[in-house]
Amino acid sequence: MKIEYDVPLKPYNSFGIESSARHLIRVYSEREVFEVMAENLHPVRIIGGGSNILLTEDMDGYVLKNEIKGIEIVDEDDERVLVRAGAGEIWNTLVTWSVSHGLGGIENLILIPGTVGAAPIQNIGAYGIEQKNVFHSLSAIDLESGERVTFYKHQCQFGYRESIFKNEAKNRFFITHVHYLLYKKNHVLTLDYGDIQKLLQERNITKPTISDVASAIAFIRTSKLPDPAVTGNAGSFFKNPVIDAEKFGKLKDDYPDLPSFQTDDIRFIKLPAAWLIEKSGFKGVRLHNIGVHEKQALVLVNYGGGSGHEIWMLAKKIQSEVNKRFGIELQPEVNVW
Ligand code: FAD
Ligand code: NAP
């Protein structure tokens, strides 16, 4: 186990915030997590790709940079394969691996930045799919007891950008491996979201394959979202709020053009946070080095040299204005450190 001291974290967070870690340890195996535990090092923060964190200060404790790699098929039946991926593997590498092997289930999640180990934390989702749809289990090390544990799907409390790991089990487990059940047969593609169908038609694709869908979504994403390598950001800063039907009815009277999406539970409606933020006057707003993206109001950006504190203050201002106008409290999706 090698400890690096006073390490700049700018390359390790997609906002590109200048912060530093007093101690940084790159972890390449389960054994190294146990070594960290044996040394009784506190406090510990786990970092994957840094694409869902906002650094508002220097990290005084120990930052563990997850580098546990590997993708392998560990079991299969007639219809599905069980894939085991190291938690430090790049998520998009797992997606492109599955697409190139003709395995279905995560193709809609192409180009989501970050690591495999972080995917269950907020139950990543895009274009009508969440990772929970094909999640089987994960292996983790309990940082309190030092035990190796397995979480099966029903134990993870997956919800919309939610899991047990963002709530009661927050910061308690180091996820080392994740298992997914991917389809080699009988996979049903999810195409009824956004512009997927339209783009497939433009490409004259009538019977799309897994690879066609992945390619279409990659194209849409690249044309819409700011690239963190160019403009620092962490994707959607807030979750889309889910409100009850009665509250929705009242809002719709006041704002007839309010867009909405029915959730699986008929009592609740999901609203696009980007619309609420735009109507509150923040779309494209720029304050020195930070701001709200001009095309996507849900994405807060660091144009270079902005601090995590400044971004957090802007986020709070947005929360307060949206609340004043619509009576809705936006919840951050990003983890604020
Ligand atoms: P990090 O930012 O490194 O960590 C996030 C949290 O997970 C932290 O609390 C960290 O401590 C914890 N964590 C990380 N690894 C482990 C581990 N091994 N064990 C325990 N805890 C761990 N998200 C979506 O859901 N859908 C999208 O479509 C999407 N698009 C995005 C687009 C852009 C341009 C960007 C910048 C972000 C986007 N995101 C999206 C958000 C982000 O990519 C995901 O949340 C991703 O899963 C974060 O992975 P990460 O490895 O970067 O996590
Ligand atoms: P979009 O397609 O313009 O849609 C705007 C919002 O409306 C999305 O947030 C989405 O909610 C919701 N929506 C659209 N069509 C829907 C449908 N058929 N059913 C239910 N909800 C629908 O959004 P976008 O910004 O270009 O993003 C496209 C996808 O990538 C979305 O799924 C989004 O979540 C995902 N994405 C996520 C992040 C992140 O950091 N979390 C960043 C970029 C993109 P949902 O978000 O619930 O899908």
Side-chain angles (χ1 to χ4, degrees):
M1 183 184 75
K2 186 176 151 214
I3 302 181
E4 296 167 49
Y5 295 91
D6 298 321
V7 180
L9 289 175
K10 189 176 172 191
Y12 303 121
N13 74 100
S14 64
F15 259 123
I17 301 291
E18 313 250 8
S19 150
S20 70
R22 182 83 193 90
H23 315 90
L24 184 127
I25 304 171
R26 293 172 211 271
V27 174
Y28 294 89
S29 65
E30 257 189 359
R31 184 180 50 80
E32 286 176 316
V33 183
F34 286 120
E35 280 175 21
V36 170
M37 295 208 61
E39 295 291 327
N40 216 6
L41 307 177
H42 291 292
V44 158
R45 294 267 193 191
I46 303 160
I47 195 167
S51 63
N52 206 21
I53 52 172
L54 176 67
L55 303 173
T56 60
E57 57 187 17
D58 290 336
M59 299 292 119
D60 274 341
Y62 295 81
V63 173
L64 307 185
K65 172 90 178 71
N66 183 7
E67 300 284 358
I68 302 174
K69 303 280 187 194
I71 301 174
E72 57 178 332
I73 293 175
V74 291
D75 203 358
E76 60 189 299
D77 62 19
D78 284 350
E79 192 176 65
R80 294 186 293 182
V81 299
L82 185 64
V83 175
R84 176 187 198 250
E89 196 62 73
I90 301 299
W91 171 263
N92 196 51
T93 302
L94 178 63
V95 176
T96 52
W97 175 90
S98 73
V99 171
S100 68
H101 284 73
L103 298 171
I106 53 175
E107 60 280 0
N108 290 36
L109 305 181
I110 193 162
L111 286 190
I112 296 184
T115 53
V116 167
I121 305 264
Q122 75 153 3
N123 181 30
I124 57 169
Y127 294 90
I129 290 285
E130 290 174 347
Q131 66 86 49
K132 77 166 186 199
N133 299 14
V134 287
F135 177 92
H136 175 271
S137 59
L138 63 79
S139 309
I141 293 163
D142 184 339
L143 296 171
E144 282 176 17
S145 69
E147 281 168 16
R148 188 182 281 129
V149 287
T150 301
F151 279 85
Y152 293 95
K153 188 172 176 168
H154 68 277
Q155 297 169 302
C156 294
Q157 298 175 12
F158 289 130
Y160 169 64
R161 305 288 190 269
E162 276 298 347
S163 76
I164 192 170
F165 307 104
K166 276 189 106 171
N167 295 294
E168 65 199 72
K170 194 171 176 170
N171 297 332
R172 174 156 171 197
F173 297 94
F174 188 115
I175 297 170
T176 58
H177 295 88
V178 187
H179 289 81
Y180 288 104
L181 273 170
L182 302 178
Y183 289 85
K184 56 183 183 188
K185 261 199 233 163
N186 301 329
H187 174 51
V188 181
L189 296 168
T190 298
L191 306 173
D192 54 349
Y193 194 102
D195 288 339
I196 305 176
Q197 303 263 27
K198 193 170 149 240
L199 185 60
L200 290 171
Q201 272 164 21
E202 279 169 20
R203 292 180 171 184
N204 290 322
I205 297 168
T206 47
K207 285 190 184 157
T209 61
I210 291 164
S211 171
D212 293 329
V213 176
S215 155
I217 291 173
F219 180 85
I220 299 169
R221 286 188 73 104
T222 317
S223 55
K224 280 179 97 168
L225 285 167
D227 178 357
V230 179
T231 310
N233 76 90
S236 309
F237 196 90
F238 299 102
K239 295 198 281 188
N240 287 323
V242 174
I243 60 171
D244 64 53
E246 191 188 338
K247 185 165 185 175
F248 172 69
K250 286 185 188 145
L251 274 174
K252 192 78 181 165
D253 288 343
D254 293 341
Y255 301 93
D257 56 341
L258 173 65
S260 61
F261 300 97
Q262 182 62 60
T263 64
D264 292 341
D265 182 336
I266 55 155
R267 294 170 301 165
F268 296 103
I269 315 285
K270 184 178 72 181
L271 304 180
W275 190 91
L276 303 172
I277 296 170
E278 184 176 348
K279 290 289 164 188
S280 303
F282 286 98
K283 192 174 184 180
V285 156
R286 182 167 178 164
L287 305 168
H288 308 292
N289 297 326
I290 63 150
V292 178
H293 194 252
E294 76 265 6
K295 284 198 208 146
Q296 171 50 286
L298 201 42
V299 178
L300 303 193
V301 291
N302 176 17
Y303 291 104
S307 72
H309 179 72
E310 285 173 298
I311 292 174
W312 185 225
M313 288 302 106
L314 174 59
K316 280 184 167 301
K317 203 166 167 205
I318 292 171
Q319 270 179 323
S320 153
E321 285 301 316
V322 167
N323 200 357
K324 240 191 257 168
R325 189 176 286 246
F326 299 104
I328 291 174
E329 179 119 14
L330 292 179
Q331 298 299 325
E333 180 180 303
V334 170
N335 301 279
V336 182
W337 286 8

